Amino acid sequence: MPGTPPTRYVYLGPEGTFAEQALRTVPAAERGSRTPARSVGEALDSVRAGDADAALVPLENSIGGAVGVTLDEMAEGEPLVITREVILPVEFVLAARPGTSLADVRSVAAHPQASTQCRGWLRDHLPDATVVDVLSNGAAAAGAAGGEYDAAVCAPIGASRHRLTVLADKIADHPDAVTRFALVSRPGPPPPPTGDDVTSLAVYIAHDRVGALLSVLMELAVRGINLTRIESRPTGEALGRYVFFLDCTGHVADVRLGEALQGLRRVCADVRFLGSYPRHRWSPAAAERPVPAPAGLSDADYADAAAWLSRLRAGELS
């Protein structure tokens, strides 16, 4: 948040997981306190209750898709807003106690998602080892460190935290996999626009209105706003009732996005603003500047059109 940075951070635990690794890329978090939470809901409720200033939770993975529990928690309860996104490459390692060789490994601890993403490597390099499901990447590293398992599939931070030797790194079958995390705070003024921003929304459409979703998309399209993600989740009210999560390019301070939000407010059953924040540039491709607004749809064009209309209303036709 602008002004005073958060000092008390909570993240989806336990320690030694990708969430902690992602949080430690935030400079202010390195200087503040960092507390693991047992669940996404617990992390967000800590912020709502004022026990923490900000929470870092997973939003989506390039392999597994959206993290449904995070979307559900953001759409319900007291409002929270995203102030920052962190995109972290998912680089799994195989780690073991010092002195262990790859030939010694007969059991491997891994979170089910981790073992799934490393299935090919494990099949090719440890075909006879038993893979044991554990609750988290941090628990896998702790189990290997305690001698319960010969090795662990875990995050690099988990290996270093438990003083394990890395037997192999970058063992994921998809080397370009990333996870997107959201830093979430209580509502307040959003970070100032940078010219390369993301705005996230939760949109509830009128279920009994023909073309309701099309109306939502048109409010964005006619203003040249790029929709970078759309995800639907059941509201829990009844079968067929959904909330749509949208990520759009732009900032709430931009004139054209502001007009689109007003349009969505008019045509939707409800709109929850989830934040405007800088886009995380995590790769050379992502470092490219965003596509400029189409002709006639820049903020300067909107300002010129508004000034022209004001002159017409004042009787000035020149």
Side-chain angles (χ1 to χ4, degrees), residues 201-240:
L201 308 167
V203 173
Y204 297 80
I205 65 173
H207 69 277
D208 55 353
R209 177 180 169 186
V210 175
L213 181 57
L214 178 60
S215 297
V216 169
L217 301 179
M218 287 299 295
E219 292 293 337
L220 304 174
V222 298
R223 295 174 177 87
I225 295 171
N226 187 29
L227 181 65
T228 58
R229 185 176 70 91
I230 180 169
E231 186 86 21
S232 64
R233 296 285 300 168
T235 63
E237 298 172 356
L239 191 64

mmCIF file of all heavy atoms in Angstrom, residues 201-240:
data_model
loop_
_atom_site.group_PDB
_atom_site.id
_atom_site.type_symbol
_atom_site.label_atom_id
_atom_site.label_comp_id
_atom_site.label_asym_id
_atom_site.label_seq_id
_atom_site.Cartn_x
_atom_site.Cartn_y
_atom_site.Cartn_z
ATOM 1 N N LEU A 201 -11.064 -8.278 -10.785
ATOM 2 C CA LEU A 201 -12.458 -8.075 -10.413
ATOM 3 C C LEU A 201 -13.137 -9.419 -10.173
ATOM 4 O O LEU A 201 -12.751 -10.432 -10.770
ATOM 5 C CB LEU A 201 -13.224 -7.349 -11.522
ATOM 6 C CG LEU A 201 -12.652 -6.046 -12.069
ATOM 7 C CD1 LEU A 201 -13.363 -5.669 -13.355
ATOM 8 C CD2 LEU A 201 -12.779 -4.943 -11.030
ATOM 9 N N ALA A 202 -14.148 -9.416 -9.318
ATOM 10 C CA ALA A 202 -15.079 -10.534 -9.193
ATOM 11 C C ALA A 202 -16.436 -10.017 -9.641
ATOM 12 O O ALA A 202 -16.963 -9.064 -9.052
ATOM 13 C CB ALA A 202 -15.136 -11.047 -7.761
ATOM 14 N N VAL A 203 -16.969 -10.613 -10.693
ATOM 15 C CA VAL A 203 -18.177 -10.099 -11.334
ATOM 16 C C VAL A 203 -19.302 -11.117 -11.196
ATOM 17 O O VAL A 203 -19.141 -12.291 -11.559
ATOM 18 C CB VAL A 203 -17.907 -9.799 -12.828
ATOM 19 C CG1 VAL A 203 -19.183 -9.434 -13.545
ATOM 20 C CG2 VAL A 203 -16.868 -8.687 -12.960
ATOM 21 N N TYR A 204 -20.436 -10.663 -10.696
ATOM 22 C CA TYR A 204 -21.631 -11.502 -10.573
ATOM 23 C C TYR A 204 -22.625 -11.055 -11.643
ATOM 24 O O TYR A 204 -23.005 -9.878 -11.679
ATOM 25 C CB TYR A 204 -22.268 -11.343 -9.194
ATOM 26 C CG TYR A 204 -21.382 -11.786 -8.056
ATOM 27 C CD1 TYR A 204 -20.364 -10.955 -7.578
ATOM 28 C CD2 TYR A 204 -21.562 -13.019 -7.441
ATOM 29 C CE1 TYR A 204 -19.553 -11.353 -6.526
ATOM 30 C CE2 TYR A 204 -20.761 -13.423 -6.387
ATOM 31 C CZ TYR A 204 -19.757 -12.589 -5.938
ATOM 32 O OH TYR A 204 -18.951 -12.980 -4.897
ATOM 33 N N ILE A 205 -22.998 -11.955 -12.532
ATOM 34 C CA ILE A 205 -23.908 -11.580 -13.604
ATOM 35 C C ILE A 205 -25.337 -11.965 -13.240
ATOM 36 O O ILE A 205 -25.560 -12.833 -12.388
ATOM 37 C CB ILE A 205 -23.514 -12.232 -14.946
ATOM 38 C CG1 ILE A 205 -23.652 -13.763 -14.881
ATOM 39 C CG2 ILE A 205 -22.090 -11.837 -15.346
ATOM 40 C CD1 ILE A 205 -23.433 -14.446 -16.223
ATOM 41 N N ALA A 206 -26.278 -11.292 -13.879
ATOM 42 C CA ALA A 206 -27.684 -11.626 -13.676
ATOM 43 C C ALA A 206 -27.965 -12.955 -14.375
ATOM 44 O O ALA A 206 -27.901 -13.041 -15.598
ATOM 45 C CB ALA A 206 -28.568 -10.524 -14.245
ATOM 46 N N HIS A 207 -28.267 -13.989 -13.609
ATOM 47 C CA HIS A 207 -28.375 -15.335 -14.177
ATOM 48 C C HIS A 207 -29.580 -15.492 -15.091
ATOM 49 O O HIS A 207 -29.631 -16.399 -15.918
ATOM 50 C CB HIS A 207 -28.440 -16.370 -13.050
ATOM 51 C CG HIS A 207 -29.716 -16.313 -12.262
ATOM 52 N ND1 HIS A 207 -29.901 -15.412 -11.235
ATOM 53 C CD2 HIS A 207 -30.864 -17.039 -12.349
ATOM 54 C CE1 HIS A 207 -31.102 -15.582 -10.715
ATOM 55 N NE2 HIS A 207 -31.711 -16.561 -11.371
ATOM 56 N N ASP A 208 -30.579 -14.608 -14.943
ATOM 57 C CA ASP A 208 -31.792 -14.739 -15.742
ATOM 58 C C ASP A 208 -31.828 -13.758 -16.910
ATOM 59 O O ASP A 208 -32.878 -13.510 -17.495
ATOM 60 C CB ASP A 208 -33.035 -14.534 -14.862
ATOM 61 C CG ASP A 208 -33.005 -13.204 -14.113
ATOM 62 O OD1 ASP A 208 -31.961 -12.512 -14.188
ATOM 63 O OD2 ASP A 208 -34.005 -12.868 -13.471
ATOM 64 N N ARG A 209 -30.676 -13.197 -17.253
ATOM 65 C CA ARG A 209 -30.623 -12.215 -18.332
ATOM 66 C C ARG A 209 -29.864 -12.803 -19.512
ATOM 67 O O ARG A 209 -28.703 -13.212 -19.372
ATOM 68 C CB ARG A 209 -29.938 -10.939 -17.841
ATOM 69 C CG ARG A 209 -29.766 -9.883 -18.923
ATOM 70 C CD ARG A 209 -29.095 -8.663 -18.351
ATOM 71 N NE ARG A 209 -28.694 -7.744 -19.408
ATOM 72 C CZ ARG A 209 -27.975 -6.640 -19.208
ATOM 73 N NH1 ARG A 209 -27.608 -6.321 -17.983
ATOM 74 N NH2 ARG A 209 -27.641 -5.874 -20.220
ATOM 75 N N VAL A 210 -30.504 -12.841 -20.684
ATOM 76 C CA VAL A 210 -29.865 -13.374 -21.880
ATOM 77 C C VAL A 210 -28.690 -12.481 -22.273
ATOM 78 O O VAL A 210 -28.805 -11.252 -22.294
ATOM 79 C CB VAL A 210 -30.875 -13.446 -23.047
ATOM 80 C CG1 VAL A 210 -30.174 -13.889 -24.325
ATOM 81 C CG2 VAL A 210 -32.018 -14.401 -22.707
ATOM 82 N N GLY A 211 -27.548 -13.105 -22.562
ATOM 83 C CA GLY A 211 -26.375 -12.348 -22.997
ATOM 84 C C GLY A 211 -25.688 -11.573 -21.902
ATOM 85 O O GLY A 211 -24.947 -10.622 -22.179
ATOM 86 N N ALA A 212 -25.891 -11.970 -20.632
ATOM 87 C CA ALA A 212 -25.321 -11.210 -19.512
ATOM 88 C C ALA A 212 -23.798 -11.209 -19.549
ATOM 89 O O ALA A 212 -23.159 -10.172 -19.344
ATOM 90 C CB ALA A 212 -25.826 -11.781 -18.188
ATOM 91 N N LEU A 213 -23.188 -12.369 -19.820
ATOM 92 C CA LEU A 213 -21.726 -12.421 -19.871
ATOM 93 C C LEU A 213 -21.200 -11.630 -21.064
ATOM 94 O O LEU A 213 -20.177 -10.949 -20.964
ATOM 95 C CB LEU A 213 -21.246 -13.874 -19.937
ATOM 96 C CG LEU A 213 -19.730 -14.079 -19.982
ATOM 97 C CD1 LEU A 213 -19.048 -13.422 -18.787
ATOM 98 C CD2 LEU A 213 -19.388 -15.563 -20.042
ATOM 99 N N LEU A 214 -21.893 -11.691 -22.183
ATOM 100 C CA LEU A 214 -21.482 -10.911 -23.347
ATOM 101 C C LEU A 214 -21.499 -9.422 -23.034
ATOM 102 O O LEU A 214 -20.606 -8.679 -23.456
ATOM 103 C CB LEU A 214 -22.399 -11.215 -24.534
ATOM 104 C CG LEU A 214 -22.117 -10.429 -25.829
ATOM 105 C CD1 LEU A 214 -20.706 -10.710 -26.323
ATOM 106 C CD2 LEU A 214 -23.151 -10.772 -26.889
ATOM 107 N N SER A 215 -22.495 -8.975 -22.265
ATOM 108 C CA SER A 215 -22.562 -7.566 -21.881
ATOM 109 C C SER A 215 -21.333 -7.163 -21.067
ATOM 110 O O SER A 215 -20.792 -6.070 -21.240
ATOM 111 C CB SER A 215 -23.836 -7.297 -21.068
ATOM 112 O OG SER A 215 -24.986 -7.546 -21.832
ATOM 113 N N VAL A 216 -20.887 -8.062 -20.185
ATOM 114 C CA VAL A 216 -19.681 -7.801 -19.395
ATOM 115 C C VAL A 216 -18.469 -7.636 -20.307
ATOM 116 O O VAL A 216 -17.697 -6.683 -20.187
ATOM 117 C CB VAL A 216 -19.451 -8.947 -18.383
ATOM 118 C CG1 VAL A 216 -18.067 -8.820 -17.746
ATOM 119 C CG2 VAL A 216 -20.534 -8.942 -17.316
ATOM 120 N N LEU A 217 -18.305 -8.578 -21.222
ATOM 121 C CA LEU A 217 -17.140 -8.543 -22.112
ATOM 122 C C LEU A 217 -17.175 -7.319 -23.025
ATOM 123 O O LEU A 217 -16.127 -6.730 -23.326
ATOM 124 C CB LEU A 217 -17.087 -9.832 -22.935
ATOM 125 C CG LEU A 217 -16.994 -11.136 -22.125
ATOM 126 C CD1 LEU A 217 -16.966 -12.343 -23.059
ATOM 127 C CD2 LEU A 217 -15.777 -11.125 -21.219
ATOM 128 N N MET A 218 -18.361 -6.909 -23.451
ATOM 129 C CA MET A 218 -18.475 -5.752 -24.335
ATOM 130 C C MET A 218 -18.067 -4.460 -23.632
ATOM 131 O O MET A 218 -17.480 -3.571 -24.251
ATOM 132 C CB MET A 218 -19.899 -5.631 -24.872
ATOM 133 C CG MET A 218 -20.259 -6.666 -25.925
ATOM 134 S SD MET A 218 -19.205 -6.544 -27.399
ATOM 135 C CE MET A 218 -19.700 -4.930 -28.000
ATOM 136 N N GLU A 219 -18.360 -4.345 -22.331
ATOM 137 C CA GLU A 219 -17.953 -3.146 -21.591
ATOM 138 C C GLU A 219 -16.439 -2.970 -21.634
ATOM 139 O O GLU A 219 -15.928 -1.846 -21.641
ATOM 140 C CB GLU A 219 -18.428 -3.225 -20.138
ATOM 141 C CG GLU A 219 -19.920 -3.146 -19.951
ATOM 142 C CD GLU A 219 -20.508 -1.796 -20.328
ATOM 143 O OE1 GLU A 219 -19.763 -0.796 -20.324
ATOM 144 O OE2 GLU A 219 -21.715 -1.737 -20.615
ATOM 145 N N LEU A 220 -15.713 -4.075 -21.678
ATOM 146 C CA LEU A 220 -14.259 -4.021 -21.755
ATOM 147 C C LEU A 220 -13.798 -3.840 -23.200
ATOM 148 O O LEU A 220 -12.934 -3.000 -23.492
ATOM 149 C CB LEU A 220 -13.654 -5.292 -21.169
ATOM 150 C CG LEU A 220 -14.044 -5.637 -19.726
ATOM 151 C CD1 LEU A 220 -13.476 -6.993 -19.339
ATOM 152 C CD2 LEU A 220 -13.569 -4.567 -18.759
ATOM 153 N N ALA A 221 -14.376 -4.609 -24.106
ATOM 154 C CA ALA A 221 -13.902 -4.629 -25.495
ATOM 155 C C ALA A 221 -14.072 -3.280 -26.176
ATOM 156 O O ALA A 221 -13.179 -2.830 -26.912
ATOM 157 C CB ALA A 221 -14.625 -5.721 -26.275
ATOM 158 N N VAL A 222 -15.214 -2.620 -25.968
ATOM 159 C CA VAL A 222 -15.455 -1.363 -26.679
ATOM 160 C C VAL A 222 -14.513 -0.262 -26.212
ATOM 161 O O VAL A 222 -14.376 0.765 -26.886
ATOM 162 C CB VAL A 222 -16.923 -0.903 -26.532
ATOM 163 C CG1 VAL A 222 -17.862 -1.920 -27.153
ATOM 164 C CG2 VAL A 222 -17.277 -0.627 -25.082
ATOM 165 N N ARG A 223 -13.856 -0.461 -25.079
ATOM 166 C CA ARG A 223 -12.899 0.528 -24.586
ATOM 167 C C ARG A 223 -11.455 0.081 -24.793
ATOM 168 O O ARG A 223 -10.528 0.682 -24.267
ATOM 169 C CB ARG A 223 -13.171 0.813 -23.107
ATOM 170 C CG ARG A 223 -14.534 1.478 -22.889
ATOM 171 C CD ARG A 223 -14.872 1.636 -21.426
ATOM 172 N NE ARG A 223 -16.147 2.349 -21.272
ATOM 173 C CZ ARG A 223 -17.349 1.766 -21.277
ATOM 174 N NH1 ARG A 223 -17.428 0.449 -21.410
ATOM 175 N NH2 ARG A 223 -18.441 2.484 -21.147
ATOM 176 N N GLY A 224 -11.275 -1.006 -25.534
ATOM 177 C CA GLY A 224 -9.935 -1.478 -25.842
ATOM 178 C C GLY A 224 -9.184 -2.034 -24.662
ATOM 179 O O GLY A 224 -7.952 -2.012 -24.628
ATOM 180 N N ILE A 225 -9.912 -2.561 -23.668
ATOM 181 C CA ILE A 225 -9.275 -3.119 -22.471
ATOM 182 C C ILE A 225 -9.036 -4.608 -22.691
ATOM 183 O O ILE A 225 -9.974 -5.359 -22.982
ATOM 184 C CB ILE A 225 -10.146 -2.882 -21.227
ATOM 185 C CG1 ILE A 225 -10.247 -1.385 -20.959
ATOM 186 C CG2 ILE A 225 -9.571 -3.603 -20.012
ATOM 187 C CD1 ILE A 225 -11.253 -1.024 -19.893
ATOM 188 N N ASN A 226 -7.802 -5.034 -22.534
ATOM 189 C CA ASN A 226 -7.436 -6.424 -22.774
ATOM 190 C C ASN A 226 -7.793 -7.271 -21.556
ATOM 191 O O ASN A 226 -7.376 -6.984 -20.433
ATOM 192 C CB ASN A 226 -5.933 -6.526 -23.065
ATOM 193 C CG ASN A 226 -5.530 -7.922 -23.481
ATOM 194 O OD1 ASN A 226 -6.313 -8.658 -24.059
ATOM 195 N ND2 ASN A 226 -4.296 -8.293 -23.192
ATOM 196 N N LEU A 227 -8.568 -8.311 -21.782
ATOM 197 C CA LEU A 227 -8.916 -9.266 -20.730
ATOM 198 C C LEU A 227 -7.877 -10.374 -20.750
ATOM 199 O O LEU A 227 -7.798 -11.144 -21.701
ATOM 200 C CB LEU A 227 -10.318 -9.819 -20.975
ATOM 201 C CG LEU A 227 -10.870 -10.818 -19.952
ATOM 202 C CD1 LEU A 227 -11.050 -10.149 -18.602
ATOM 203 C CD2 LEU A 227 -12.194 -11.392 -20.442
ATOM 204 N N THR A 228 -7.051 -10.453 -19.715
ATOM 205 C CA THR A 228 -5.952 -11.413 -19.707
ATOM 206 C C THR A 228 -6.309 -12.730 -19.026
ATOM 207 O O THR A 228 -5.611 -13.724 -19.201
ATOM 208 C CB THR A 228 -4.722 -10.811 -19.008
ATOM 209 O OG1 THR A 228 -5.072 -10.437 -17.661
ATOM 210 C CG2 THR A 228 -4.235 -9.572 -19.757
ATOM 211 N N ARG A 229 -7.384 -12.748 -18.230
ATOM 212 C CA ARG A 229 -7.792 -13.991 -17.576
ATOM 213 C C ARG A 229 -9.258 -13.904 -17.205
ATOM 214 O O ARG A 229 -9.739 -12.859 -16.756
ATOM 215 C CB ARG A 229 -6.973 -14.255 -16.311
ATOM 216 C CG ARG A 229 -7.261 -15.602 -15.648
ATOM 217 C CD ARG A 229 -6.340 -15.826 -14.451
ATOM 218 N NE ARG A 229 -6.672 -14.950 -13.351
ATOM 219 C CZ ARG A 229 -7.531 -15.260 -12.369
ATOM 220 N NH1 ARG A 229 -8.131 -16.428 -12.356
ATOM 221 N NH2 ARG A 229 -7.775 -14.411 -11.395
ATOM 222 N N ILE A 230 -9.980 -14.977 -17.405
ATOM 223 C CA ILE A 230 -11.350 -15.095 -16.919
ATOM 224 C C ILE A 230 -11.521 -16.493 -16.347
ATOM 225 O O ILE A 230 -11.097 -17.479 -16.949
ATOM 226 C CB ILE A 230 -12.386 -14.803 -18.026
ATOM 227 C CG1 ILE A 230 -13.815 -14.929 -17.474
ATOM 228 C CG2 ILE A 230 -12.187 -15.707 -19.240
ATOM 229 C CD1 ILE A 230 -14.882 -14.406 -18.415
ATOM 230 N N GLU A 231 -12.078 -16.569 -15.162
ATOM 231 C CA GLU A 231 -12.231 -17.837 -14.450
ATOM 232 C C GLU A 231 -13.595 -17.829 -13.767
ATOM 233 O O GLU A 231 -13.968 -16.835 -13.138
ATOM 234 C CB GLU A 231 -11.130 -17.972 -13.392
ATOM 235 C CG GLU A 231 -11.085 -19.289 -12.688
ATOM 236 C CD GLU A 231 -10.254 -20.325 -13.440
ATOM 237 O OE1 GLU A 231 -9.416 -19.916 -14.265
ATOM 238 O OE2 GLU A 231 -10.462 -21.522 -13.183
ATOM 239 N N SER A 232 -14.350 -18.890 -13.908
ATOM 240 C CA SER A 232 -15.644 -18.952 -13.247
ATOM 241 C C SER A 232 -15.579 -19.889 -12.053
ATOM 242 O O SER A 232 -14.869 -20.899 -12.072
ATOM 243 C CB SER A 232 -16.725 -19.428 -14.222
ATOM 244 O OG SER A 232 -16.473 -20.756 -14.653
ATOM 245 N N ARG A 233 -16.321 -19.531 -11.001
ATOM 246 C CA ARG A 233 -16.427 -20.354 -9.801
ATOM 247 C C ARG A 233 -17.882 -20.372 -9.355
ATOM 248 O O ARG A 233 -18.575 -19.352 -9.432
ATOM 249 C CB ARG A 233 -15.575 -19.761 -8.659
ATOM 250 C CG ARG A 233 -14.091 -19.748 -8.920
ATOM 251 C CD ARG A 233 -13.486 -21.116 -8.783
ATOM 252 N NE ARG A 233 -13.666 -21.666 -7.439
ATOM 253 C CZ ARG A 233 -13.437 -22.942 -7.123
ATOM 254 N NH1 ARG A 233 -13.039 -23.801 -8.053
ATOM 255 N NH2 ARG A 233 -13.611 -23.371 -5.894
ATOM 256 N N PRO A 234 -18.395 -21.502 -8.900
ATOM 257 C CA PRO A 234 -19.772 -21.533 -8.396
ATOM 258 C C PRO A 234 -19.917 -20.661 -7.155
ATOM 259 O O PRO A 234 -19.008 -20.595 -6.320
ATOM 260 C CB PRO A 234 -20.003 -23.015 -8.084
ATOM 261 C CG PRO A 234 -18.642 -23.597 -7.910
ATOM 262 C CD PRO A 234 -17.737 -22.819 -8.811
ATOM 263 N N THR A 235 -21.053 -19.977 -7.056
ATOM 264 C CA THR A 235 -21.272 -19.106 -5.902
ATOM 265 C C THR A 235 -21.705 -19.888 -4.671
ATOM 266 O O THR A 235 -21.628 -19.371 -3.553
ATOM 267 C CB THR A 235 -22.361 -18.068 -6.211
ATOM 268 O OG1 THR A 235 -23.605 -18.747 -6.467
ATOM 269 C CG2 THR A 235 -21.977 -17.216 -7.415
ATOM 270 N N GLY A 236 -22.188 -21.128 -4.864
ATOM 271 C CA GLY A 236 -22.699 -21.910 -3.747
ATOM 272 C C GLY A 236 -24.166 -21.663 -3.475
ATOM 273 O O GLY A 236 -24.763 -22.323 -2.614
ATOM 274 N N GLU A 237 -24.774 -20.709 -4.196
ATOM 275 C CA GLU A 237 -26.186 -20.400 -3.979
ATOM 276 C C GLU A 237 -27.091 -21.467 -4.592
ATOM 277 O O GLU A 237 -28.061 -21.900 -3.979
ATOM 278 C CB GLU A 237 -26.519 -19.035 -4.573
ATOM 279 C CG GLU A 237 -25.744 -17.888 -3.938
ATOM 280 C CD GLU A 237 -25.952 -16.587 -4.693
ATOM 281 O OE1 GLU A 237 -26.633 -16.614 -5.747
ATOM 282 O OE2 GLU A 237 -25.444 -15.553 -4.247
ATOM 283 N N ALA A 238 -26.788 -21.848 -5.834
ATOM 284 C CA ALA A 238 -27.599 -22.837 -6.536
ATOM 285 C C ALA A 238 -26.812 -23.314 -7.742
ATOM 286 O O ALA A 238 -25.869 -22.644 -8.202
ATOM 287 C CB ALA A 238 -28.942 -22.248 -6.969
ATOM 288 N N LEU A 239 -27.187 -24.457 -8.268
ATOM 289 C CA LEU A 239 -26.528 -24.984 -9.461
ATOM 290 C C LEU A 239 -26.705 -23.995 -10.608
ATOM 291 O O LEU A 239 -27.802 -23.505 -10.863
ATOM 292 C CB LEU A 239 -27.146 -26.334 -9.833
ATOM 293 C CG LEU A 239 -26.403 -27.155 -10.896
ATOM 294 C CD1 LEU A 239 -25.030 -27.564 -10.392
ATOM 295 C CD2 LEU A 239 -27.225 -28.398 -11.259
ATOM 296 N N GLY A 240 -25.613 -23.689 -11.281
ATOM 297 C CA GLY A 240 -25.682 -22.769 -12.408
ATOM 298 C C GLY A 240 -25.428 -21.315 -12.059
ATOM 299 O O GLY A 240 -25.412 -20.465 -12.951
#
